[in-house]
Structures are given as structure tokens and as C-alpha cells.
Amino acid sequence: MDHRLQARERLRKLPEAQRAAWLDIAEDEFMAFGFEAASLNRILARAAISKGQAYYYFADKGELYRAVIERAFDEFVDLLEVAPTEPENTAAYWQQIAALFGKVTTILQRNNRLAEIGRGIYREARAQAAIVDLLERLHTQLARLIETGQRLGAVRADLPLGLLTSMAFAALREADQWFALNARDHDQQTALALNRRVFTVFAAMLAPSAGTCTTVPPATSS
Amino acid sequence: MDHRLQARERLRKLPEAQRAAWLDIAEDEFMAFGFEAASLNRILARAAISKGQAYYYFADKGELYRAVIERAFDEFVDLLEVAPTEPENTAAYWQQIAALFGKVTTILQRNNRLAEIGRGIYREARAQAAIVDLLERLHTQLARLIETGQRLGAVRADLPLGLLTSMAFAALREADQWFALNARDHDQQTALALNRRVFTVFAAMLAPSAGTCTTVPPATSS
DNA sequence: GACAAGATTAGACCGGTGGTCTAAATTCGG
DNA sequence: CCGAATTTAGACCACCGGTCTAATCTTGTC
């Protein structure tokens, strides 16, 4: 594993301009073809990197992909400017979540490049495997957010945190993809309205289930 | 495109035993490595199929995968024995949905092979692309189910059918995967309880949002 | 400034991939 | 029994990600 980190370090120490140029070209290829179908050889040719050079600065194709994604991820976090205030009650909690939801939405709407990069990740298992540490960090953040809600009683606590987080996150990703596919069918007005309703679904998933909402228990298996 | 269907037809007309033997081996490879990493050459070697034979009976790797999945899909449908009764009110509707949910759950629990095949599909975009027509059929069925709920007022109708379907289905897939990964941590008792709660989340997603459940509107984007 | 040691680069090379193609073998109707 | 159509064999292709060696630069030291 030392080899991987060694190469990572070398890539990091490269002159900013060169590194950026390489990653630009790699990003272009990865976004155009996806992780698997992207051709490393093509990237190297376009960027005028020799094979020897390549494997000196990143251990394999996955590591190059990781570098691309990490850069995009950092960009995204910069745009997000997250304010880490602890909400004190349910109302404040939901307000904070809603604000975050809105912010993410507008960032992705305005920055289609970042949005597409993010979608690309979840389309291919091997892409996810290549950046597993980054995804873990993201998932941890989301889980922390939801856990806060649980402590306040704003979020149902009868399911394992990881399970609930995964389900909610998956639903949101799917919604994002739906919007990406059906974007041209909606003007900004209706898109916003739809977006609000998606949040409603999201909130319903997390809300404590006691009482009115869910009336029917599932059937036991035969 | 004619070529594809021609080959498909030839595969279909093959003696049952031979076809089954081929698909068994192909399924084995696909499940062991996933669609992309599965080696067609390895399958052909194991099954003693020559290259010429191979491309005579299926147009490409994706078509062989499709044949494997289609067979599994048919098996699954057989096990499901779906009863197409139209529910007449909300309670009956939810009862039917819950029953279906339970049935699917137990089928997948008891038939790990089918479960793994299903999971494999959603792990790789190119696998999905290879069986896009089958997935469309499945999605249509799910949408029909949810549409019925909408007509009864049991399911919220303020979102496009496809969007709501996709979100709910994605959440369930994610839950299934979570169970697959964390299966050994739970005895059958608690697994069942968890399963019930997952259904609760699912139901909350679909339930009409008016009123009590969702209290806070999302923030507008800045 | 010479020179050794380490860092960096070039690119031939490797086994493997999915897919194509030609020619032979086999099957089958008349 | 023959000619036409179907079916099979496997050599061949471009390309893939990755390895390896030898050459070339860079740098510190005397």
C-alpha cells in the first residue's frame, strides 16, 4: 500500500498547472465515457504523459480517477460553505436540513459539471471502489446529520442509522437523476415546485413513524 | 438490429439442455465477477463454445448477460405468483402492497441466488444497459402498482409517477443491499422487525403528504 | 567541475479483452 | 447424391490496463 501513497504524494507535489492540466483531461475522458470505458491510454496520449510517468504519479487507473473526484469534491465543499451550527429543536433542525437541501440543489443546478461528476460515481461499482475512502467520509457526514435529528426526536430512531441514511440518500440520488433526465421538460418554476415536493418525500422517510402517517403494518411472510 | 434478434431466436431454439448448461456457466461467471469483469472468453472455454458458435447465438457479451437475467427474471415471476386483483379502497391497497412486499422479501431471503443476481444488475451501468428492455418492463409494473394507489388516494399524486416510483424503488434496493451486507449481524427475529420498519419508511414515502406528517417546507434556494 | 546516487521519463512489452472474419464442416431438402 | 443453407472452428484484430528495463535528467558532495 505504500506504493499508492507514495505515488499520491508525488502527484500532489507536482506543479499546480501541470497537475490541473492532467486532471482536466482525465476528467474529460472519465465524464465522457464513465470510469470503465474511459481509456487510460487515450488520456495519456492526450495529455502527453508516458506510461512510465503515469505509473510514477498514480498507482493505477482508479487512483487517477480518485484524484479527479477528490478535486471536484473539494470544489463542491468550497461552494457549500457549510455552517456547523447545532440546532436546538425539531423546527430548527428541519430548517437547517431544508436549507442544506436547497443549497445543494442550486449548486448542482448551476454547476452541471460537478453534478455530472457526482452522478457518474454512482453509475459504476468500480468507480465507487476506487474512491471508497471519499465516499465513506461523505456517508459519515450524512449519517452525522441524521443522527443529530434522532437526538432531537426529529428523525425516527427505530432503524439503524446506516440503513436509514442509505435509503434516504439513495432516494435523493435517484430524484437527482430523474431531474437530470427530465430537465428539459420543465421550466424553472415547476422544477422548483417539484424539488420542494421531493424534499417532502425525503422528510417523510425520516420523520418518526408513530401515529398517523403509516397506518398499515406489512404482512408477515408466509 | 435484425442481427441481434436473429441470434436471440437461434439461442431460444437451442435444445433446452444445452441452453441451460450454457446459461448456468455464464450466470456463474457473471455472478462471480460482475458484468464487466466477467470474461466472455472464460465462459466460452468453460462451456466449450467456440467463438464462431458464440457470436452465432448471441450478438455480444451483453446479449448473453441478458439471456441469463431473463431466465432468472422468469424464475422470479414464477415464484411470485402475482394475483392481479384490483383493490377497492385504501386499506385493501396497502394490504396488497404489504403482502407483495412480504412475498418478495421471503423469496429473496430463501433464494439467495436470485437475490444476488438482482443486486448485480444495479451495481453496473453497463449491465443495466444490456437489459434495458427488461428493466423497463419491471419499472412499468411498479409504476402501475403505484398508480393504482394514486387512483385510490392511497398514494400521493403531487409528483410525477416515474419520479416517485424511482425514488421508492431505489430506497428499497438500498435497503435490500444493506440487509445483504449486514445479514450475519441479525437473527431472524430482529431481521423481520427491521424489515417491517423498512416497509414503514417505504409507505411513508408514498403516503399523501397533506397534513400531519411533513411539517416544514424546504427553504427556497438563495 | 566531476561524479555518484537518486529521481524521473520513455516506450517496448505482456497477457488478456471483446469482437470479426474466413473457411471448413455439417445438415438438410429435392 | 448433390447443392444450398446452416452451423462451427479458431486464427486474427485493435485495444486494454499494467510491468519493466534502460536511459536520462537532477542534485548534493568533494
Side-chain angles (χ1 to χ4, degrees):
Chain A
M1 291 304 130
D2 201 23
H3 166 24
R4 284 185 107 71
L5 300 181
Q6 217 173 321
R8 230 179 255 185
E9 185 61 17
R10 289 196 274 245
L11 183 60
R12 205 180 54 77
K13 279 185 183 166
L14 226 47
E16 181 63 26
Q18 184 169 27
R19 212 182 79 106
W22 287 9
L23 292 188
D24 283 347
I25 290 173
E27 181 179 299
D28 200 56
E29 172 86 8
F30 282 127
M31 290 312 107
F33 297 93
F35 174 70
E36 302 247 30
S39 164
L40 184 57
N41 289 334
R42 212 155 39 204
I43 293 174
L44 300 189
R46 275 225 282 156
I49 309 173
S50 76
K51 266 291 169 65
Q53 234 176 335
Y55 284 89
Y56 187 67
Y57 290 103
F58 36 86
D60 56 23
K61 193 188 184 185
E63 280 289 299
L64 178 55
Y65 183 72
R66 207 197 89 105
V68 168
I69 299 300
E70 191 175 30
R71 183 177 66 158
F73 190 69
D74 286 347
E75 263 182 77
F76 179 76
V77 169
D78 275 357
L79 288 172
L80 204 52
E81 300 167 352
V82 68
T85 57
E86 280 285 309
E88 289 185 351
N89 56 50
T90 296
Y93 175 75
W94 281 113
Q95 213 134 39
Q96 182 180 315
I97 295 289
L100 183 61
F101 182 85
K103 208 164 192 176
V104 169
T105 297
T106 58
I107 288 176
L108 295 186
Q109 267 174 1
R110 291 181 187 171
N111 198 327
N112 193 51
R113 175 182 146 256
L114 286 183
E116 275 304 326
I117 290 176
R119 281 172 208 133
I121 293 169
Y122 290 99
R123 271 198 281 267
E124 290 171 280
R126 300 173 95 82
Q128 282 161 263
I131 60 165
V132 62
D133 57 326
L134 302 179
L135 287 179
E136 248 164 48
R137 242 157 55 191
L138 176 61
H139 193 87
T140 302
Q141 290 295 331
L142 293 175
R144 207 193 307 273
L145 217 57
I146 292 186
E147 197 182 18
T148 300
Q150 286 183 334
R151 267 199 308 274
L152 291 170
V155 172
R156 58 190 299 167
D158 57 342
L159 280 166
L161 184 61
L163 174 55
L164 190 58
T165 306
S166 296
M167 288 181 73
F169 188 40
L172 288 185
R173 271 189 279 124
E174 198 72 23
D176 168 69
Q177 203 193 313
W178 187 92
F179 275 101
L181 290 174
N182 302 68
R184 358 182 302 111
D185 301 350
H186 307 286
D187 58 282
Q188 200 169 353
Q189 192 76 9
T190 61
L192 184 62
L194 276 182
N195 186 266
R196 265 201 268 255
R197 295 200 187 107
V198 165
F199 181 83
T200 280
V201 174
F202 172 71
M205 293 179 79
L206 298 184
S209 67
T212 41
C213 256
T214 43
T215 46
V216 180
T220 314
S221 59
S222 74
Chain B
M1 291 300 129
D2 200 23
H3 166 22
R4 284 185 108 71
L5 300 180
Q6 215 173 321
R8 229 178 255 185
E9 185 61 16
R10 290 197 272 244
L11 182 61
R12 204 179 55 78
K13 279 185 182 166
L14 226 47
E16 181 65 24
Q18 184 170 26
R19 211 182 80 107
W22 287 9
L23 292 188
D24 283 347
I25 290 172
E27 180 179 299
D28 200 57
E29 172 86 8
F30 281 128
M31 290 312 106
F33 297 94
F35 174 70
E36 303 247 31
S39 164
L40 185 57
N41 288 335
R42 211 155 40 206
I43 293 173
L44 300 189
R46 274 224 283 153
I49 309 174
S50 76
K51 265 291 168 63
Q53 236 177 333
Y55 284 89
Y56 187 67
Y57 290 104
F58 37 85
D60 55 24
K61 194 188 184 185
E63 280 288 299
L64 177 55
Y65 183 72
R66 207 198 88 105
V68 168
I69 299 301
E70 190 174 30
R71 182 176 68 158
F73 190 70
D74 287 347
E75 264 183 74
F76 179 76
V77 169
D78 275 358
L79 289 171
L80 204 51
E81 299 167 352
V82 69
T85 57
E86 280 284 310
E88 289 186 352
N89 55 50
T90 296
Y93 174 76
W94 281 113
Q95 215 133 39
Q96 182 180 316
I97 295 290
L100 183 61
F101 181 85
K103 208 163 193 176
V104 169
T105 297
T106 58
I107 288 176
L108 295 185
Q109 265 174 2
R110 291 180 187 170
N111 198 326
N112 194 51
R113 174 181 147 256
L114 286 184
E116 276 304 326
I117 290 175
R119 279 171 209 133
I121 293 170
Y122 290 98
R123 269 198 284 267
E124 290 171 279
R126 299 174 94 82
Q128 283 161 262
I131 59 165
V132 61
D133 56 326
L134 302 179
L135 288 179
E136 247 165 50
R137 241 157 57 191
L138 177 61
H139 193 88
T140 301
Q141 290 295 331
L142 294 174
R144 208 193 308 274
L145 218 56
I146 292 186
E147 197 182 18
T148 300
Q150 286 183 335
R151 267 199 308 274
L152 291 170
V155 172
R156 58 189 299 167
D158 57 343
L159 281 166
L161 184 61
L163 174 54
L164 191 58
T165 306
S166 295
M167 288 181 72
F169 188 40
L172 288 185
R173 271 190 279 125
E174 197 72 23
D176 168 70
Q177 202 192 315
W178 188 92
F179 275 101
L181 290 174
N182 302 70
R184 2 182 299 111
D185 301 350
H186 307 285
D187 57 282
Q188 201 169 354
Q189 192 75 9
T190 61
L192 183 62
L194 277 183
N195 186 267
R196 266 200 268 254
R197 295 201 186 106
V198 166
F199 180 83
T200 280
V201 174
F202 171 71
M205 293 179 79
L206 298 185
S209 68
T212 41
C213 258
T214 44
T215 47
V216 180
T220 314
S221 60
S222 74

